[in-house]
Amino acid sequence: EAQVTQNPRYLITVTGKKLTVTCSQNMNHEYMSWYRQDPGLGLRQIYYSMNVEVTDKGDVPEGYKVSRKEKRNFPLILESPSPNQTSLYFCASRKGTPGGNQPQHFGDGTRLSIL
Amino acid sequence: AQTVTQSQPEMSVQEAETVTLSCTYDTSESDYYLFWYKQPPSRQMILVIRQEAYKQQNATENRFSVNFQKAAKSFSLKISDSQLGDAAMYFCACRGGGSNYKLTFGKGTLLTVNP
């Protein structure tokens, strides 16, 4: 089954304790992306990756890091989490056809609470 | 830069009736794509319908159809014969083609379906 898998689904942690949210897709997609969803703000892009070792900032990259060492994985790293990073996070992937209309496939979301 | 505006934070509809959700966008891209995503209480992001900007014909998927007015930069979603399972948050999104892979979301419209 084609899917994007995020882990963990829920996490409560404390300020300053490094955490990683993993994302893996089994569709051999070139493009992957991270979003955060906050009430009244919709989804905002944090980082994206057009292929292995190619990443770039989205709209709200501050406080986050990513890496793309393998095509299937795109982890989101919070080096020193703060309460304003409490949010619902989504990983997404799609085929990287230039100019294509391929929709993004989303993971089921990760609810992070930073105390 | 792209912007997507959903002017209706909340909408309600009676079961079996028709409802239209509004979306306007702005983009400097000549080649772009438009999407509607549904987010039920399970938080999953589910693609409802997509439209290529170069196509004049409005997209249709079963009970879901769009009214795409390119000159007005409007992309509304019509849900016919509304069902209880249609109750969800709906997000309009725009993505540029070519080298611009960014997907920009509106803030969402919460749809309630009354029995």
Side-chain angles (χ1 to χ4, degrees):
Chain A
E1 179 188 353
Q3 59 185 4
V4 178
T5 303
Q6 294 179 228
N7 280 297
R9 293 291 310 281
Y10 303 90
L11 179 63
I12 301 173
T13 187
V14 296
T15 299
K17 185 177 181 181
K18 180 179 178 180
L19 68 90
T20 299
V21 184
T22 63
C23 174
S24 181
Q25 50 91 7
N26 63 0
M27 295 168 279
N28 201 36
H29 285 168
E30 292 81 11
Y31 180 87
M32 298 184 74
S33 182
W34 277 102
Y35 298 87
R36 61 177 288 173
Q37 181 182 358
D38 301 291
L41 296 179
L43 281 80
R44 294 178 292 167
Q45 189 180 57
I46 303 171
Y47 269 95
Y48 67 96
S49 170
M50 291 169 62
N51 214 323
V52 176
E53 303 291 0
V54 181
T55 63
D56 206 350
K57 297 177 180 178
D59 293 322
V60 288
E62 295 77 20
Y64 304 94
K65 286 176 59 177
V66 293
S67 68
R68 188 88 181 275
K69 292 180 168 50
E70 302 167 288
K71 197 173 186 179
R72 63 182 294 126
N73 295 324
F74 190 46
L76 179 70
I77 304 158
L78 285 71
E79 293 270 5
S80 182
S82 62
N84 64 11
Q85 293 178 299
T86 293
S87 188
L88 177 60
Y89 291 84
F90 286 98
C91 180
S93 75
R94 69 169 177 84
K95 287 179 67 66
T97 305
N101 70 340
Q102 299 299 315
Q104 296 204 26
H105 298 258
F106 284 84
D108 287 341
T110 296
R111 173 72 70 184
L112 285 184
S113 294
I114 316 294
L115 305 179
Chain B
Q2 295 173 154
T3 60
V4 177
T5 302
Q6 294 178 250
S7 59
Q8 306 151 317
E10 298 182 20
M11 292 280 287
S12 64
V13 62
Q14 291 296 126
E15 195 175 4
E17 297 292 309
T18 295
V19 64
T20 298
L21 308 185
S22 300
C23 173
T24 58
Y25 63 92
D26 194 16
T27 179
S28 57
E29 298 284 334
S30 58
D31 177 24
Y32 58 92
Y33 304 88
L34 298 163
F35 305 87
W36 278 97
Y37 281 89
K38 169 185 177 181
Q39 186 180 46
S42 66
R43 302 179 333 201
Q44 290 178 303
M45 292 291 288
I46 302 166
L47 178 67
V48 175
I49 199 165
R50 58 185 168 179
Q51 174 83 41
E52 295 91 336
Y54 62 84
K55 288 187 177 179
Q56 293 186 338
Q57 186 173 7
N58 289 328
T60 298
E61 289 286 344
N62 301 314
R63 297 182 295 107
F64 299 87
S65 61
V66 299
N67 183 4
F68 174 46
Q69 301 288 328
K70 190 171 184 177
K73 295 185 177 180
S74 172
F75 183 60
S76 60
L77 175 69
K78 186 172 81 171
I79 306 174
S80 303
D81 186 25
S82 296
Q83 300 176 359
L84 295 178
D86 295 334
M89 181 72 84
Y90 286 82
F91 291 99
C92 179
C94 176
R95 194 185 84 225
S99 60
N100 181 353
Y101 289 89
K102 181 179 174 178
L103 191 64
T104 301
F105 286 87
K107 295 181 179 181
T109 296
L110 181 63
L111 178 66
T112 303
V113 181
N114 300 311

